[in-house]
Amino acid sequence: MGNEIQGGLKTAAASKVAPATGKLGVMVVGLGAVSTTMIAGVEAIRRGLAKPIGSLTQMGTIRLGKRTDNKSPLIREFVPLADLNDVVFTGWDIFQDNVYEAAAHAEVLDKDMLTQLKPYLETIKPLPAVFDQYYVKRLHGTHVKTGKNKRDLADQVRADIQAFKKTVDRVVVIWAASTEIFIEPTAVHASVAAFEAGLENDDIAIAPSQIYAYAALSEGVPFANGAPNLTVDTGAMIELSKRNAAPICGKDFKTGQTFMKTVLAPAFKARMLGVKGWFSTNILGNRDGEVLDDPESFKTKEESKLGSLDFIFQPELYPDLYKDMYHKIRINYYPPRGDDKEAWDNIDIFGWMGYPMQIKVNFLCRDSILAAPIALDLVLFMDLAKRTPELQSIGIQEWLSFYLKSPQSAPGLYPEHDLFIQLMKLKNTLRHIMGQDLITHLGLEYYD
Ligand SMILES: NC(=O)c1ccc[n+]([C@@H]2O[C@H](COP(=O)([O-])OP(=O)(O)OC[C@H]3O[C@@H](n4cnc5c(N)ncnc54)[C@H](O)[C@@H]3O)[C@@H](O)[C@H]2O)c1
């Protein structure tokens, strides 16, 4: 008999997720537009000045049982997530500005709101960063650590994490710093031993983001990467993540254009409509845009943005529809727009008997307004993963692909980019760890 609920996959003994007691310390690498918008938003929500719009952990519900059961609790009431009142922020940046000053500079939030939040925001001051201009050409850091080699710098970050750990109960680290140059994995990334030797020898393929990630994972702390740089997507980091029960989860916040792509592309494929070309262009004028104006940082972003369509369309399975699709992405730095990005997509599709059609998407978005709730959700879910016996030592948290342009999956397994499959995977993971039945949407039992 058909059964919408896949009872066979019910978790036999619900793994006991540890409660979220005490303070959750969030260490943010890079206190720029995204981070300061996240931190200011959390404080505004705590004070009743704003609602957590865009955050699945705060506003989302999850259906449990049959459709006729009418049981859809809030996600944050179903799984033990840290309460926003228990979240404590700190971070690192290459500039000395406190979070109020950095938020004012980013010009995402209006002055009135920032003035109300100022007494809190100015208490958060960045720790000196690990930085080397070789990896981000457009920035000149002034608030940076010095050390005899990369191992020394990693030890200093570990000391920062250890000191913060003394003031809170649990810690998560998230990278929301600038996009680094494109780096391909080399032998130094193959194992923890090779990586540690590389730290000692100042291997050029070890960028600052990898040093933070190594430090966090060595401390048993989950690490999320909001940018497209090569950071935790290496053999060394997967090994370290598993060894120290410190979750990792892929990279690059899926906010604007790629978010739209991973919604539209599955729709075309579902209807077996072909795509001949997909041209995407953007203008943005924030510091991220300035960094991405450097061809080496752009290359990192481009690779991350390009991946999704190929994985969704599976041209090897559907050569008639997608084999020769032309996919082009441009990002143009245009200062007048600041954080208000504008994206255009021209999609050349074709239908029955090959007749061509076009779709134009013009998304006038606010980059950091879209990214902030994603950063928050990742932090809260990574903390949950760390408290979940079944998840904490598996390394990659594939169920968090929902949030990322470049989802990470087990070696040899293709990543899942379709937003709705990703959402189902996320929710089923939550049901699973809480010992609830999974939902397959079969639903034949309603027609008995
Ligand atoms: N906003 C979005 O929609 C979005 C989407 C996907 C990815 N991202 C990525 O998130 C990151 C942050 O974006 P943003 O708009 O906040 O950029 P931003 O330039 O405003 O902030 C980045 C901050 O990181 C700091 N920084 C750079 N290198 C550092 C280092 N090694 N250590 C510590 N701090 C460092 C910079 O000084 C800056 O304050 C970027 O890499 C961006 O590509 C953003």
Side-chain angles (χ1 to χ4, degrees):
M1 197 216 71
N3 187 358
E4 188 179 32
I5 299 167
Q6 202 168 325
L9 286 182
K10 182 172 174 154
T11 313
S15 54
K16 276 266 168 284
V17 182
T21 36
K23 298 283 179 206
L24 171 63
V26 179
M27 303 189 84
V28 192
V29 192
L31 293 168
V34 173
S35 319
T36 58
T37 306
M38 167 179 70
I39 296 170
V42 167
E43 179 63 2
I45 293 157
R46 293 197 282 225
R47 296 229 231 133
L49 300 172
K51 295 224 184 300
I53 296 169
S55 163
L56 185 69
T57 62
Q58 302 307 300
M59 301 197 96
T61 62
I62 182 162
R63 190 189 115 199
L64 304 175
K66 294 183 175 182
R67 262 184 276 167
T68 44
D69 291 348
N70 281 327
K71 211 166 147 202
S72 293
L74 282 168
I75 287 174
R76 66 186 154 84
E77 286 168 2
F78 173 58
V79 289
L81 290 180
D83 188 287
L84 292 190
N85 289 309
D86 292 327
V87 173
V88 182
F89 292 102
T90 186
W92 296 269
D93 204 285
I94 64 171
F95 301 114
Q96 240 164 337
D97 292 354
N98 64 45
V99 168
Y100 171 76
E101 291 162 337
H105 178 263
E107 292 185 329
V108 176
L109 302 174
D110 64 52
K111 287 204 175 69
D112 281 357
M113 177 58 83
L114 281 183
T115 306
Q116 290 186 71
L117 303 173
K118 184 175 179 186
Y120 169 73
L121 296 181
E122 62 188 3
T123 63
I124 307 170
K125 302 184 175 91
L127 297 155
V130 176
F131 182 74
D132 180 338
Q133 206 187 4
Y134 173 75
Y135 302 94
V136 185
K137 299 280 189 287
R138 296 283 156 102
L139 298 182
H140 303 265
T142 51
H143 185 53
V144 298
K145 296 186 193 304
T146 52
K148 74 174 180 2
N149 57 18
K150 290 182 177 176
R151 144 76 61 202
D152 185 0
L153 295 172
D155 287 343
Q156 291 180 44
V157 176
R158 288 185 72 167
D160 290 343
I161 297 172
Q162 286 162 9
F164 190 52
K165 266 184 177 169
K166 294 201 178 100
T167 67
V168 292
D169 297 270
R170 305 175 311 283
V171 175
V172 170
V173 174
I174 183 164
W175 174 276
S178 311
T179 300
E180 296 171 331
I181 58 169
F182 185 66
I183 296 177
E184 295 208 74
T186 64
V188 81
H189 301 109
S191 66
V192 177
F195 190 85
E196 287 177 340
L199 284 173
E200 218 49 79
N201 309 329
D202 279 334
D203 193 298
I204 195 150
I206 299 182
S209 65
Q210 299 170 34
I211 295 177
Y212 288 101
Y214 170 81
L217 301 180
S218 299
E219 290 298 316
V221 165
F223 185 97
N225 182 11
N229 7 278
L230 181 79
T231 303
V232 289
D233 37 344
T234 66
M237 294 299 169
I238 296 172
E239 183 186 334
L240 196 57
S241 163
K242 287 183 176 170
R243 188 197 292 171
N244 293 341
I248 54 175
C249 64
K251 60 186 183 181
D252 206 4
F253 302 130
K254 179 155 87 173
T255 47
Q257 202 165 41
T258 309
F259 165 51
M260 288 296 150
K261 271 187 184 155
T262 63
V263 171
L264 291 174
F268 302 147
K269 193 174 86 172
R271 285 285 160 88
M272 291 290 111
L273 294 169
V275 180
K276 226 186 216 100
W278 198 313
F279 178 75
S280 306
T281 189
N282 296 273
I283 53 174
L284 83 162
N286 57 16
R287 190 181 278 155
D288 186 31
E290 189 180 351
V291 167
L292 294 174
D293 207 34
D294 171 57
E296 289 189 80
S297 286
F298 173 68
K299 167 99 173 120
T300 309
K301 195 60 142 187
E302 188 185 28
E303 290 286 320
S304 176
K305 282 177 151 257
L306 277 173
S308 59
L309 287 189
D310 254 9
F311 283 112
I312 291 173
F313 285 139
Q314 298 177 291
E316 65 295 348
L317 284 184
Y318 305 102
D320 290 338
L321 301 176
Y322 308 117
K323 191 167 77 64
D324 299 318
M325 186 191 66
Y326 186 85
H327 188 194
K328 185 85 195 165
I329 294 166
R330 294 218 177 279
I331 300 178
N332 306 287
Y333 178 50
Y334 180 62
R337 284 294 175 89
D339 201 61
D340 297 347
K341 177 151 92 182
E342 182 158 4
W344 292 265
D345 284 82
N346 172 73
I347 315 159
D348 283 291
I349 67 171
F350 55 94
W352 188 242
M353 299 164 75
Y355 280 82
M357 296 171 261
Q358 289 183 5
I359 297 175
K360 315 274 180 188
V361 181
N362 183 197
F363 191 5
L364 287 90
C365 68
R366 291 173 190 263
D367 237 10
S368 303
I369 294 297
L370 292 171
I374 292 182
L376 173 66
D377 280 6
L378 278 173
V379 161
L380 297 182
F381 277 144
M382 289 291 261
D383 171 50
L384 176 74
K386 172 77 188 178
R387 285 181 282 108
T388 303
E390 211 178 336
L391 299 178
Q392 63 190 189
S393 298
I394 62 170
I396 302 162
Q397 308 294 314
E398 202 195 317
W399 60 286
L400 294 176
S401 301
F402 176 67
Y403 293 107
L404 300 160
K405 279 204 228 2
S406 296
Q408 203 171 344
S409 44
L413 196 65
Y414 71 81
E416 190 51 74
H417 281 270
D418 177 326
L419 189 87
F420 298 104
I421 296 178
Q422 292 173 333
L423 181 61
M424 207 187 306
K425 188 190 285 284
L426 186 155
K427 289 193 172 180
N428 269 338
T429 304
L430 299 181
R431 292 182 185 107
H432 176 71
I433 63 171
M434 298 307 289
Q436 288 283 331
D437 291 326
L438 306 189
I439 290 181
T440 65
H441 301 287
L442 179 59
L444 283 179
E445 77 270 30
Y446 302 121
Y447 298 91
D448 275 351

